[in-house]
Amino acid sequence: MTMRTIPAHAASTIGDFRRYPGCRLLLSCAACGWSRTYNPERVIGRLQELRAGGHTTRLTDVRQRIGWNCPRCARMRWRMAFAWPPGLGPAEVKRLTAQARN
Ligand SMILES: [Zn+2]
């Protein structure tokens, strides 16, 4: 059961999560594969609280704000992308997308 990463590009912003209903923000270590996920809305809330950004903050900039090392390998080679949680199949994504439009 693994997350399905949604391909991002250099200009992807954290506010793009709205295009992918049900997605999570996936932070993963490029060195060892350790990962954890976040609720994108909460990360945006936190950026706003710190006056450090918001919906238009690029994923690459969010990543650069991470000030800690990987708990498994102690390196700092973070990757950040949106991802679908395990079990969220195409049918469920379609349903959530329709819901978001209404
Ligand atoms: Zn690591």
Side-chain angles (χ1 to χ4, degrees):
M1 294 288 270
T2 51
M3 303 281 294
R4 281 186 299 137
T5 307
I6 299 164
H9 46 91
S12 295
T13 65
I14 189 160
D16 288 349
F17 82 90
R18 287 170 298 190
R19 292 194 221 157
Y20 317 112
C23 76
R24 301 274 296 169
L25 188 62
L26 176 72
L27 174 69
S28 58
C29 172
C32 75
W34 180 90
S35 69
R36 70 172 287 185
T37 68
Y38 298 87
N39 177 336
E41 281 178 86
R42 292 186 60 176
V43 175
I44 291 168
R46 186 74 186 133
L47 286 168
Q48 288 168 340
E49 235 172 73
L50 297 169
R51 298 186 179 279
H55 287 86
T56 56
T57 306
R58 288 180 184 193
L59 286 184
T60 50
D61 295 330
V62 179
R63 190 189 65 207
Q64 274 161 17
R65 295 187 56 82
I66 300 166
W68 41 280
N69 294 344
C70 172
R72 190 192 284 162
C73 72
R75 280 185 271 190
M76 216 193 235
R77 288 180 54 195
W78 298 117
R79 272 197 205 135
M80 195 167 260
F82 295 114
W84 305 116
L88 194 71
E92 182 69 355
V93 168
K94 221 178 235 177
R95 192 183 66 79
L96 289 169
T97 307
Q99 219 171 48
R101 276 200 208 104
N102 296 331

